[in-house]
Amino acid sequence: MEALRAPSPVSPPPLLRSRFLKPTSTLSFPLTKPNSHLPPLTQFKKPNFKTFTAISPPLQETETLDEDETETLDADEKFDWFSQWYALMPVCDLDKRAPHGKKVMGLDVVVWWDKNENAWKVFDDMCPHRLAPLSEGRIDQWGRLQCVYHGWCFSGSGDCKFIPQAPPDGPPVHTFQKACVAVYPSTVQNGIVWFWPSTDPQFKDILTKKKPPYIPALDDPSFTFQMFNRDIPYGYEILIENLMDPAHVPYAHYKIMSMPPPSVKLDREGGRPLEINVGKIDKDGFTAKQQNGEWAFVPPCLFHGSITIGGKPNESDGSTQGKLAQKPPRQALLIFICIPVSPGNSRLIFASPRNFAGWIDLFVSRWIFHINQNLIIDSDLYLLHVEEKKMMESDPRDWQKLCFVPTKADANVVAFRKWIKKYSDGQINWGNNFDRSLPPSPPREQLMDRYWSHVVNCSSCNAAYKSLNALEVSLQVFSVASVAIVAATKQGMISVAARNTLVVAAVLCFVGSKWLSHFIHKNFRYHDFNHAFR
């Protein structure tokens, strides 16, 4: 059962950890940067690593770090949050028969399948007629996006093709520019729909100049993985910090995610000192080495790591003419795409490709994998939601004054805060979409709700949820029907054995339906988490 658990956000998948506690640290970064002409495995030059710690260093080092943080940057050196590619959703969780509404960087967009151009399109989620959301519309019989408020129809280019209320012999008002919908540049890469958050015509061909970050393993047929997405009720900065932090895993995810046992066990959970070395921080992010592999942060969204295990040459047989035959190495990646939705809200797309143990995905359904992923997220969700609230009561730009981070285990988090402080004034630039105030905290049941944050957005979990609910109803109907048959049947019409069988079956079906109801609620609706009793 341990092999079926989802991988740790900051450590190798459990299958790796349980069988290979001391992996070989031979590692490559299978990531192609936009506009790069280098092969995928040579995209990251090996940096000169140095260790970042947040503890008070000697005076000379402190002055150097402060100087870097307060360095005045030119306007073009600042990170432009609206000149980046953002992931919307995995294609496997999008239904081509319906439009889907999403929010990214405070922008309400609708993504839909244009069968006439065989492409996913991303529009401004607002009909130009009376501002109704197009995401509540439908795809008509001609493959156009239709607003269901008054029936206006739009092609994949955003042009209005039909206004039912316009007389056929009148002026062609549907051709007016004001009747068009704003279209965002979009593309599909690695099985994910990406979009560029600007409808300015100058970015119409942005894909020819800058591409989303590419991860070859997601398109490599020798790798297997299950993609996961969930809306998170805390902000982008908190989400990405959490994924960069390996030290919280044995505590916040105790008994959910296993970790390699430390050489010296200091407490029940198995926490230990961690050595994390961060390379040079620049506008394009940073790389880091830690005990279980190498990691890279590619702003704004991507944080990923890669681990190669094994691959030692074996003695060859005669067919290789005395040469060493290299055994294909086992490789696993952890890929996190963290999407800023609005202040206090974010979205996570996660995948863990591996080129071994592919048989697991043949026998374990995707929704079962997602149950464990949701449990991992829920186990520290409330902690992080409250943490963000407390941070926003002060000023998140003073993060290093608010938080005491004295060990090397926090080096990734410190590096991220240094990056966002230097290149974005310590916070996301939402433009004019929001101020920095957070939405009020909902009740705990709503905060940790799984249905609206994941199930409705996941094709596999949604199908499983409907099927299990149908099974629950069927068990209840059979139970009631069996009791009714026994009660209505006169003595002697059926044998005692048959009567007893029906009674037993009715009881088992009733108990089964109750258990299934609890299972559905706990895994698809709401699962509370009390750390004190674990």
Side-chain angles (χ1 to χ4, degrees):
M1 194 64 189
E2 182 66 31
L4 304 184
R5 287 188 175 181
S8 163
V10 290
S11 54
L15 186 64
L16 292 178
R17 295 194 298 274
S18 60
R19 297 185 181 181
F20 307 95
L21 299 182
K22 296 182 179 179
T24 303
S25 183
T26 305
L27 207 151
S28 60
F29 282 93
L31 175 73
T32 301
K33 284 189 177 182
N35 302 328
S36 175
H37 302 289
L38 297 176
L41 297 182
T42 60
Q43 290 305 300
F44 286 89
K45 295 182 179 179
K46 189 172 182 180
N48 294 321
F49 284 97
K50 60 182 180 179
T51 302
F52 281 95
T53 62
I55 196 169
S56 299
L59 180 59
Q60 184 176 358
E61 184 179 350
T62 303
E63 292 173 350
T64 303
L65 293 177
D66 289 343
E67 182 181 350
D68 291 341
E69 293 171 4
T70 58
E71 179 183 353
T72 302
L73 301 178
D74 295 335
D76 58 348
E77 291 183 286
K78 286 290 186 180
F79 190 79
D80 187 350
W81 292 87
F82 287 93
S83 292
Q84 312 293 332
W85 285 98
Y86 289 90
L88 277 174
M89 283 289 286
V91 172
C92 61
D93 290 324
L94 293 174
D95 190 339
K96 292 182 177 180
R97 301 169 300 173
H100 305 267
K102 296 295 171 186
K103 184 189 289 287
V104 177
M105 283 299 295
L107 302 173
D108 290 305
V109 301
V110 54
V111 54
W112 64 285
W113 176 253
D114 181 6
K115 69 178 184 181
N116 297 310
E117 296 187 23
N118 290 320
W120 289 100
K121 301 292 184 177
V122 181
F123 285 5
D124 187 16
D125 193 12
M126 183 172 62
C127 180
H129 177 214
R130 298 267 292 281
L131 313 185
L134 293 172
S135 57
E136 294 296 321
R138 64 172 69 94
I139 312 298
D140 73 2
Q141 61 267 43
W142 293 284
R144 303 173 300 192
L145 178 61
Q146 183 187 70
C147 175
V148 293
Y149 194 22
H150 294 92
W152 289 33
C153 296
F154 306 92
S155 68
S157 61
D159 297 332
C160 183
K161 293 299 183 181
F162 179 55
I163 298 178
Q165 296 78 24
D169 54 352
V173 293
H174 68 280
T175 63
F176 291 6
Q177 182 63 34
K178 290 191 68 174
C180 298
V181 179
V183 181
Y184 293 94
S186 60
T187 187
V188 173
Q189 185 167 276
N190 292 138
I192 299 171
V193 178
W194 299 75
F195 91 112
W196 185 270
S198 177
T199 59
D200 192 307
Q202 66 172 314
F203 297 116
K204 182 179 180 180
D205 299 320
I206 189 62
L207 191 60
T208 62
K209 303 173 185 177
K210 184 176 182 179
K211 300 178 186 291
Y214 181 64
I215 306 168
L218 294 180
D219 290 333
D220 189 337
S222 65
F223 281 80
T224 181
F225 62 92
Q226 301 284 11
M227 202 162 283
F228 171 84
N229 80 85
R230 180 163 170 175
D231 292 335
I232 310 291
Y234 49 80
Y236 157 89
E237 300 99 316
I238 301 297
L239 172 62
I240 207 164
E241 280 182 6
N242 187 50
L243 298 173
M244 289 180 173
D245 172 24
H248 81 283
V249 173
Y251 298 95
H253 308 305
Y254 181 61
K255 292 186 177 180
I256 302 175
M257 300 170 65
S258 61
M259 296 286 288
S263 55
V264 178
K265 194 167 184 179
L266 304 175
D267 57 15
R268 180 192 65 168
E269 293 80 8
R272 57 183 172 178
L274 296 175
E275 182 79 22
I276 300 177
N277 297 317
V278 177
K280 181 181 178 181
I281 303 171
D282 58 28
K283 187 178 178 181
D284 296 324
F286 58 86
T287 57
K289 284 185 177 180
Q290 62 189 64
Q291 190 171 5
N292 66 338
E294 294 190 13
W295 296 82
F297 168 57
V298 183
C301 297
L302 180 61
F303 181 63
H304 75 115
S306 173
I307 303 168
T308 300
I309 299 176
K312 294 183 178 179
N314 299 322
E315 292 296 332
S316 61
D317 55 22
S319 63
T320 60
Q321 299 179 358
K323 296 181 179 179
L324 291 177
Q326 180 71 37
K327 184 180 179 180
R330 291 183 174 92
Q331 189 176 33
L333 292 83
L334 293 174
I335 299 167
F336 303 99
I337 301 176
C338 306
I339 305 160
V341 173
S342 61
N345 293 282
S346 57
R347 184 175 303 117
L348 172 65
I349 297 176
F350 167 68
S352 181
R354 63 186 187 279
N355 61 357
F356 61 95
W359 59 267
I360 293 178
D361 294 331
L362 298 177
F363 295 96
V364 180
S365 298
R366 182 175 175 234
W367 65 270
I368 296 178
F369 169 81
H370 287 182
I371 285 177
N372 197 60
Q373 283 300 314
N374 279 314
L375 184 60
I376 292 170
I377 290 176
D378 285 340
S379 57
D380 59 12
L381 187 150
Y382 187 76
L383 305 176
L384 298 170
H385 178 82
V386 174
E387 174 187 322
E388 182 178 40
K389 289 285 186 180
K390 292 183 179 297
M391 190 171 296
M392 293 302 295
E393 289 174 359
S394 301
D395 190 339
R397 291 172 293 186
D398 292 331
W399 180 86
Q400 285 181 291
K401 296 179 181 178
L402 297 172
C403 301
F404 178 55
V405 281
T407 69
K408 294 180 180 180
D410 294 308
N412 280 334
V413 178
V414 173
F416 170 72
R417 284 294 176 175
K418 287 179 179 291
W419 176 85
I420 199 170
K421 183 174 183 179
K422 181 174 182 179
Y423 296 102
S424 188
D425 298 323
Q427 56 191 342
I428 294 178
N429 180 9
W430 297 100
N432 297 322
N433 296 325
F434 297 102
D435 57 22
R436 292 204 53 82
S437 59
L438 296 178
S441 293
R444 192 179 179 99
E445 291 80 4
Q446 183 179 341
L447 184 70
M448 302 176 67
D449 172 78
R450 291 186 181 183
Y451 182 78
W452 293 107
S453 64
H454 172 72
V455 173
V456 295
N457 297 316
C458 174
S459 58
S460 300
C461 291
N462 201 6
Y465 177 76
K466 292 177 180 179
S467 298
L468 292 174
N469 272 299
L471 177 59
E472 179 192 352
V473 172
S474 299
L475 291 174
Q476 292 173 350
V477 170
F478 182 83
S479 177
V480 173
S482 298
V483 172
I485 290 173
V486 171
T489 303
K490 293 182 179 180
Q491 192 74 21
M493 292 186 64
I494 59 175
S495 66
V496 175
R499 183 185 295 272
N500 291 339
T501 300
L502 282 175
V503 172
V504 171
V507 171
L508 291 177
C509 286
F510 178 77
V511 172
S513 70
K514 289 299 182 181
W515 177 88
L516 193 56
S517 175
H518 174 74
F519 178 86
I520 292 171
H521 182 78
K522 184 176 180 179
N523 292 289
F524 295 95
R525 282 289 185 180
Y526 168 66
H527 179 81
D528 199 3
F529 210 91
N530 191 326
H531 292 269
F533 296 102
R534 294 195 69 81

